Amino acid sequence: MSKFFSNYFILLIISFRNIFRNRNRSLLTVLAVAVGIVSTSFLTAIQIGSRKQIQDDAVRNMLGHLRVAKLQSFDETTALHRIDKPKEQDLQILSNITESKVSERIRANAVVLTERESRNIIFLGVVPKQEIGVSVLDPRFSIKEGRYLSGENDEGVIIGNSLSVRLKTSLGKRVVLLTQDSNGKSIERGFRVIGIFKTDLKSIEDSYVVTGLNTASSFLKFDNQISDLSFLINDTNKISEALDKLKDYFKNQNVTNQDITVKTWEEMEPFLLAIVKLQNGVLILWYSIVIVSVFFGVINTLLMTVVERQKEFSLYRALGLGSNLIIVNVFMEMFILLLFGSFIGILLSIFIIQILLSGGISLTMFNDGAELFGIRSIIFPYFSLPSAINFSIILITSCLVGIYFPTRNASKNRPTEGLVR
Amino acid sequence: MSFIKINKISKSYVDGMALKYAVKEMSFNIEKGDFLVLSGPSGSGKTTLLNLISGLDVPDSGGIIILNENLAELNLSLLSDKERDEFRLKNTGFVFQSYNLIPVLSAEENVYFTLQLLGVSKEERKLLAREMLDRVGLKDLYLRRPSQLSGGQQQRVAIARAMVSKPALILADEPTANLDSSTAKQLLDLMVDFNREFKTTFVFSSHDEQVISYAKRVITLKDGILLSDTKKNF
C-alpha cells in the first residue's frame, strides 16, 4: 500500500509543478473552462429566473398552482358552471391538507363599457382578505390609485391601469358590465371604479374587473355558489402531492357537485408550459454548444501538452514507470486544471449573477415581445449551484475522456522513439 | 553462468525504401561486474544495442536472456511492456547523453524518484539520495532544479539517480559526450568505484577514448556487426 501511495504522491507533485511550469497553457485551460461555466451559469440563471417568473406570474394572475372547478369551467368562463361555496371549516381543512392559501372566486366573461369605449374582460368576484399574498390583487403592492376592496360586500370595482387608459375612464367614474347570469339571462349593471391596480404585465391589467365576492354572487345570481377555488401552494415542490390530496379529499367527501375537477397551472396554461419546455430545450442546446467549444479548446491545449511531453513520458518509461501511471499523471494534471477552472467559473458566476445582476436584467426594449411569452420587462436571474456543478462534472468528464486515448497512445509509444527527440 | 546472454539478435529499420540493420545477428555474453564499452562510429548500432539490452526496445529476432536477482533466466523479448517496465525499475539504471532529468523535480527528488517508485520509505530514500549526491560531489545542491545546474552537475545527478537503487545493471549512452574531460574523468572514476564496490555491471556506448581507456572490455561495432571483443587486464 505504501508503494501505491508513494507512486501517486510523486505523480501528484509532478502534476502540480507542471501546472506552474507551463503557466500560459494552464491559464488558458482554466480560462476556457471558467468562461464555459460562466456562460452556461448565466444562461441557466436567466432561464430559471424567467421560468420562476412565468410560473409565479401565472399562478398569481388569478390562476393558482391548483384550481378546483367544474370541468367545463376550465374551457368556458361563464356563470353557468359553479361549485358549492365551502364552509369556513372546510376551507380551513383544504388549506391545511394542501399546505396552501386558498381563494374562493367567482368569474364570468363580460363586456365592460364606458361612455366612449368597451372591452371584453373577465368579471371577478373575490374575498379581498383571501387574495393577500396570493394574487396580483394583493393591496400591498398592486393598488396604484384609490383603494382596495373593503370586503366581500364591497359594491365598487377595481380595474387595471392599462384597462382604465383603454376605456378612457378613471377613478370614481362608473363603468357598465354586460354579461349572463347563472340562468343564462343577459344582465347589466353599473359599478363605480374605486381603485386602479398595476402589475408587471399589461395583459393582466387589461383582463380583469374585480369586485367583492358577494356583490358578484348577487349580480350573477350564484346563490351561495362560486366558480372555483384557487390554491397557492407554499412549497412549489409539493404541487403534485397537494394535487393528489385534493383529489382524494373530493373523492372521500362524495360531494354532490358533479364533474368537480382539479387541475394544475400547467394543465390550465399549456402555452406557458410549452414556453418553459422551449427554454429548457434552448438551454440544453446551449449546454451542448458550450461543451463542444470548450471541449475542443481545452482538448487542443491538452493535446499540445501530451505531444510536448513525449520525451518526458519516454524518460518515465525508461526509469520504469508503467504507462498506466503516466496516464494517471496526465489525468491528475488535467483534473486539477479543470477543477480549478470550474471553481473559478462558479465563483465568477456567483459574483456576476448574485451581485452584479441582483437588480435584474432590463428587457424594456423588448417589452411587448417578452410579454407575449409571459416574461416581465425585468428578469431576475437565479444562480443554480447544482446546475453549475452538474455542468462542471459533464465538462470535466468529457475533457478527461477526450484526452484519454491520445495520452494512452503517447504513454505506450516505445521509449526509444521519445528519447531520441 | 553469464549475467546477460545476447543470442543472434537483429534489429532493422526502414530507411526510405530500403530495410537496414542497426544490429545484425549479434551474439555475446556480459558477465556480472563487467565494465563494458560498446564502441564504434556513429550509426554502428551502439545505442540500439543498449536499448535492446535494457528492454527499452525489442529485437526483431534472437533473444536477450538476463539472469535476474533470483538467478532465474529472463528472456526480455518475451516480456510484456509492463513486465519490461518493472524489470527496468528493479534491475537497471540509466545515464543518457542529454542527462534527461525530470525538469520539475529537484536534484534530490530526481535521484530518489526510482526509490519512491520502488516503495522505499520517505526517510530512507531521502537519506540514500543525499548520500549519493554527496558522493557525486553535489553536496548542498540537493534542492536545485535541473535548470539551475550546469551540464556537468546535471550529469552527476543522472549518475546518482542511476546508482542510488544499486541496480545490477547500469547502461550509459555516451555519458561524457557533453562534458569536459576533467568532469568526465571524475564521473568515470566514480563509476569505476561503484563497479568495484557493488559489482554493478556497467555497459557504455561511447567512442570517446577516455571512456574506452576505463573499460575492462571493449566491443567494437560497425554497421550493426560485432567487429571485435577485447578484454583488458588491469
Side-chain angles (χ1 to χ4, degrees), chain B residues 23-40:
Chain B
V23 174
K24 192 172 183 184
E25 295 200 344
M26 199 176 286
S27 298
F28 63 93
N29 294 340
I30 301 172
E31 305 305 325
K32 181 86 182 148
D34 248 352
F35 202 85
L36 164 70
V37 176
L38 302 171
S39 173

Side-chain angles (χ1 to χ4, degrees), chain B residues 108-176:
Chain B
E108 178 186 69
E109 288 167 335
N110 262 291
V111 173
Y112 69 58
F113 181 73
T114 46
L115 293 178
Q116 190 150 5
L117 297 181
L118 286 165
V120 176
S121 72
K122 190 179 175 183
E123 293 74 25
E124 196 184 344
R125 67 175 180 252
K126 209 161 186 171
L127 188 76
L128 288 170
R130 290 193 172 194
E131 270 178 19
M132 197 51 75
L133 282 168
D134 291 349
R135 199 162 170 177
V136 297
L138 292 178
K139 198 174 173 67
D140 301 329
L141 297 178
Y142 307 140
L143 302 178
R144 293 258 182 105
R145 295 271 178 94
S147 58
Q148 298 166 315
L149 297 170
S150 69
Q153 287 169 330
Q154 287 188 55
Q155 195 62 306
R156 284 167 198 260
V157 176
I159 289 169
R161 177 178 67 187
M163 297 195 302
V164 74
S165 59
K166 300 185 179 65
L169 174 65
I170 290 179
L171 300 137
D173 187 11
E174 311 267 9
T176 57

Side-chain angles (χ1 to χ4, degrees), chain A residues 2-3 6-7 9-10 13-14 17-18 21 311-312 314-325 412 414-416 419, chain B residues 11 51 56-58 81 85-86 88-89 94 96 98 100-106 109 113-114 116-119 125 145 161:
Chain A
S2 71
K3 184 181 168 187
S6 183
N7 284 352
F9 185 66
I10 188 78
I13 289 175
I14 292 174
R17 291 190 187 164
N18 263 323
R21 181 178 154 216
K311 186 174 180 179
E312 196 179 319
S314 299
L315 172 65
Y316 292 152
R317 291 287 305 279
L319 295 176
L321 189 74
S323 54
N324 286 344
L325 287 175
K412 283 191 183 299
R414 287 225 172 113
T416 47
L419 285 169
Chain B
K11 183 73 187 174
N51 289 337
L56 281 176
D57 211 345
V58 282
D81 278 359
D85 290 341
E86 187 84 9
R88 278 195 301 278
L89 177 65
F94 258 101
F96 301 95
S98 52
N100 280 339
L101 298 177
I102 300 169
V104 292
L105 298 183
S106 66
E109 288 167 335
F113 181 73
T114 46
Q116 190 150 5
L117 297 181
L118 286 165
R125 67 175 180 252
R145 295 271 178 94
R161 177 178 67 187

Side-chain angles (χ1 to χ4, degrees), chain A residues 262-323:
Chain A
V262 189
K263 281 195 177 184
T264 63
W265 74 274
E266 290 160 329
E267 290 170 311
M268 288 183 276
E269 288 288 351
F271 179 65
L272 289 181
L273 186 66
I275 289 170
V276 170
K277 283 184 176 169
L278 182 71
Q279 284 184 335
N280 286 339
V282 170
L283 197 66
I284 290 168
L285 189 69
W286 181 251
Y287 267 39
S288 316
I289 291 169
V290 172
I291 284 176
V292 169
S293 21
V294 174
F295 175 80
F296 280 109
V298 171
I299 287 292
N300 197 30
T301 318
L302 301 186
L303 279 179
M304 284 299 292
T305 315
V306 172
V307 172
E308 277 171 13
R309 291 174 65 188
Q310 186 63 60
K311 186 174 180 179
E312 196 179 319
F313 295 163
S314 299
L315 172 65
Y316 292 152
R317 291 287 305 279
L319 295 176
L321 189 74
S323 54

